[in-house]
């Protein structure tokens, strides 16, 4: 009997998360934030009302993400409504990484849903990072793995002499970044293109070049499944953009560390789990390990800023440059 219950739970969770993903995809996020009648939601989801109803009850029962009132109105749970971070986490983790979480070993993400999650954050400039970067007086910026291009857009809004190129290897992200660049009337200064990090290293773009600043925010953390990959990527970028200051902005993991076990933050540990389930690997848990990556990649760290202001999450920003190769006389 116990096994049947567990199976029931697993199917329920899978169904619940899949439904949340489907609802997000169908653009129901805003409707859910306000609360909407079940019938309306079923129609928007293009689902048979009785199937939608059954799925909804599973979702309410097992995921705790959605609540149903006695009038048949469906809404996001109070805890999701009350916090931007919680909403973003739901979109990102349950939407984009839903397939990975419910089926461990699946390494692809729903990139359309990931772009949707980033849309929710699109207008929120990472202010600490932007003010740190503004101190570096960037002019021509290359933002790699740009997502919605939050850094370049924020710098360009703040300073009209900033221009640059934002690239991502995901077409959904590029579409989102382009849309926001247009919306903010920045398209005369910002170009957005589809390109992978290694493509950029092999064939540097000419638009806006030469770059004085290269931004890699939350990009290297996706390359930790294979031990030497972050070193390979960073060294490729550093040797291509030797004149640029390279800005690396990441978080420290906690999963599997004694600090994480004793006093880990839910945010960091859930991020860590997603990293593992989605096949991205676990980034370092301490700054010394990042320094070891820099030495192996042949870059020198010029500055570091650590930010622990966000509930239990340690984020940091390092400025590195390519080391000149020493020639023995
Ligand atoms: C976690 S998101 C961060 C997005 C953005 N940098 C930000 O700070 O909001 C990682 C982004 O890197 C992109 N990405 C991952 N690997 C890449 C690669 N090899 N080349 C280009 N983009 C990549 C993904 O498509 C995704 O948009």
């Amino acid at each position: 009997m116990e096994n049947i219950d567990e199976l029931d739970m697993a199917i329920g969770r899978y169904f619940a998360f899949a439904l949340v993903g489907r609802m997000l995809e169908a653009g129901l996020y805003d409707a859910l934030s306000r609360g909407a009648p079940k019938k309306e939601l079923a129609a928007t989801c293009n689902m048979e009302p009785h199937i939608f109803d059954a799925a909804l009850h599973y979702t309410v029962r097992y995921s705790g993400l959605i609540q149903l009132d006695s009038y048949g109105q469906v809404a996001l749970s109070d805890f999701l409504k009350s916090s931007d971070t919680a909403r973003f986490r739901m979109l990102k983790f349950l939407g984009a990484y839903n397939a990975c979480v419910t089926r461990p070993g699946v390494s692809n993400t729903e990139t359309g849903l990931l772009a949707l999650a980033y849309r929710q954050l699109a207008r929120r400039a990472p202010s600490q990072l932007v003010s740190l970067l503004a101190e570096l007086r960037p002019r021509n910026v290359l933002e790699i793995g740009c997502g919605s291009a939050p850094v370049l857009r924020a710098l360009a809004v703040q300073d009209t002499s900033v221009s640059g190129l934002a690239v991502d290897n995901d077409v959904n992200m590029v579409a989102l970044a382009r849309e926001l660049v247009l919306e903010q009337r920045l398209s005369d200064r910002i170009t957005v293109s589809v390109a992978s990090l290694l493509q950029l290293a092999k064939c540097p773009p000419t638009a806006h070049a030469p770059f004085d600043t290269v931004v890699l925010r939350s990009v290297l953390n996706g390359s930790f499944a294979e031990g030497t990959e972050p070193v390979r990527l960073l060294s490729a970028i550093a040797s291509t953009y030797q004149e640029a200051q390279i800005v690396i902005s990441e978080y420290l993991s906690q999963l599997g560390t004694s600090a994480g076990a004793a006093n880990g933050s839910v945010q960091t540990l859930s991020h860590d789990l997603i990293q593992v389930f989605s096949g991205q690997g676990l980034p370092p848990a301490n700054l010394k390990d990042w320094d070891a990556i820099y030495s192996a990649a042949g870059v020198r760290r010029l500055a570091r800023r650590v930010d622990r202001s966000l509930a239990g999450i340690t984020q940091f920003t390092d400025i590195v440059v390519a080391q000149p190769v020493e020639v023995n006389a």
Side-chain angles (χ1 to χ4, degrees), residues 194-259:
V194 179
S196 81
L197 199 143
L198 284 175
Q199 266 172 318
L200 289 173
K202 277 194 200 130
C203 177
T206 47
H208 298 283
F211 300 102
D212 52 49
T213 309
V214 173
V215 178
L216 285 165
R217 177 175 180 249
S218 302
V219 176
L220 291 177
N221 71 25
S223 65
F224 280 87
E226 253 184 63
T228 55
E229 189 63 2
V231 171
R232 192 170 78 97
L233 294 178
L234 184 55
S235 113
I237 288 299
S239 56
T240 311
Y241 302 98
Q242 295 200 9
E243 309 305 318
Q245 44 200 351
I246 302 171
V247 180
I248 296 169
S249 199
E250 289 290 347
Y251 85 104
L252 294 184
S253 69
Q254 291 182 344
L255 194 67
T257 65
S258 49

Side-chain angles (χ1 to χ4, degrees), residues 92 97 111 114 118 121 126 129 143-151 167-170 173 195-198 200 215-219 221-222 233 271 275 280:
K92 182 173 170 183
Y97 293 109
T111 57
L114 197 57
Y118 274 86
L121 280 191
L129 175 64
E143 184 168 7
I144 302 178
C146 64
S148 63
V151 179
V167 298
D168 201 289
N169 64 358
D170 185 295
M173 290 296 188
S196 81
L197 199 143
L198 284 175
L200 289 173
V215 178
L216 285 165
R217 177 175 180 249
S218 302
V219 176
N221 71 25
L233 294 178
H271 192 167
Q275 288 279 135
Q280 300 180 84

Side-chain angles (χ1 to χ4, degrees), residues 243-309:
E243 309 305 318
Q245 44 200 351
I246 302 171
V247 180
I248 296 169
S249 199
E250 289 290 347
Y251 85 104
L252 294 184
S253 69
Q254 291 182 344
L255 194 67
T257 65
S258 49
N263 197 20
S265 97
V266 177
Q267 277 89 343
T268 302
L269 290 170
S270 55
H271 192 167
D272 291 348
L273 281 173
I274 296 298
Q275 288 279 135
V276 174
F277 282 131
S278 59
Q280 300 180 84
L282 208 53
N286 62 65
L287 294 165
K288 261 186 15 206
D289 288 353
W290 275 99
D291 285 339
I293 291 172
Y294 300 153
S295 328
V299 302
R300 186 161 53 94
R301 176 164 60 79
L302 299 180
R304 165 167 287 160
R305 187 135 340 153
V306 181
D307 176 11
R308 294 193 170 84
S309 63

Side-chain angles (χ1 to χ4, degrees), residues 39-326:
K39 261 194 175 160
E40 192 182 298
L41 292 178
T44 317
C45 261
N46 198 18
M47 281 172 87
E48 291 290 331
H50 65 284
I51 295 180
F52 180 83
D53 207 36
L56 195 62
H57 276 95
Y58 254 114
T59 311
V60 170
R61 184 166 168 204
Y62 291 115
S63 79
L65 297 169
I66 289 172
Q67 57 196 5
L68 200 56
D69 69 16
S70 48
Y71 304 103
Q73 286 274 116
V74 185
L76 293 180
S77 298
D78 289 336
F79 81 95
L80 284 176
K81 271 197 274 188
S82 64
S83 143
D84 279 353
T85 316
R87 277 200 300 271
F88 172 64
R89 278 157 46 77
M90 180 191 82
L91 282 160
K92 182 173 170 183
F93 294 162
L94 300 181
Y97 293 109
N98 154 32
C100 321
V101 179
T102 48
R103 277 170 283 152
V106 173
S107 67
N108 60 327
T109 52
E110 293 282 344
T111 57
L113 287 173
L114 197 57
L116 184 66
Y118 274 86
R119 177 180 288 285
Q120 304 295 324
L121 280 191
R123 275 167 190 77
R124 216 188 305 157
S127 57
Q128 294 217 354
L129 175 64
V130 173
S131 59
L132 168 66
L133 286 190
E135 286 172 27
L136 303 174
R137 307 221 167 279
R139 287 292 165 265
N140 296 318
V141 179
L142 172 63
E143 184 168 7
I144 302 178
C146 64
S148 63
V151 179
L152 182 49
R153 284 187 297 107
L155 287 170
V157 165
Q158 197 170 285
D159 181 344
T160 53
S161 61
V162 171
S163 63
L165 174 67
V167 298
D168 201 289
N169 64 358
D170 185 295
V171 287
N172 295 299
M173 290 296 188
V174 167
L176 172 63
R178 276 192 185 139
E179 201 182 307
L180 294 166
V181 163
L182 259 178
E183 220 172 79
Q184 289 182 284
R185 298 173 193 277
L186 296 170
S187 32
D188 54 334
R189 286 185 285 134
I190 297 181
T191 308
V192 188
S193 307
V194 179
S196 81
L197 199 143
L198 284 175
Q199 266 172 318
L200 289 173
K202 277 194 200 130
C203 177
T206 47
H208 298 283
F211 300 102
D212 52 49
T213 309
V214 173
V215 178
L216 285 165
R217 177 175 180 249
S218 302
V219 176
L220 291 177
N221 71 25
S223 65
F224 280 87
E226 253 184 63
T228 55
E229 189 63 2
V231 171
R232 192 170 78 97
L233 294 178
L234 184 55
S235 113
I237 288 299
S239 56
T240 311
Y241 302 98
Q242 295 200 9
E243 309 305 318
Q245 44 200 351
I246 302 171
V247 180
I248 296 169
S249 199
E250 289 290 347
Y251 85 104
L252 294 184
S253 69
Q254 291 182 344
L255 194 67
T257 65
S258 49
N263 197 20
S265 97
V266 177
Q267 277 89 343
T268 302
L269 290 170
S270 55
H271 192 167
D272 291 348
L273 281 173
I274 296 298
Q275 288 279 135
V276 174
F277 282 131
S278 59
Q280 300 180 84
L282 208 53
N286 62 65
L287 294 165
K288 261 186 15 206
D289 288 353
W290 275 99
D291 285 339
I293 291 172
Y294 300 153
S295 328
V299 302
R300 186 161 53 94
R301 176 164 60 79
L302 299 180
R304 165 167 287 160
R305 187 135 340 153
V306 181
D307 176 11
R308 294 193 170 84
S309 63
L310 203 65
I313 305 173
T314 303
Q315 292 177 303
F316 66 91
T317 300
D318 287 340
I319 317 291
V320 304
V321 287
Q323 296 243 44
V325 180
E326 282 179 27

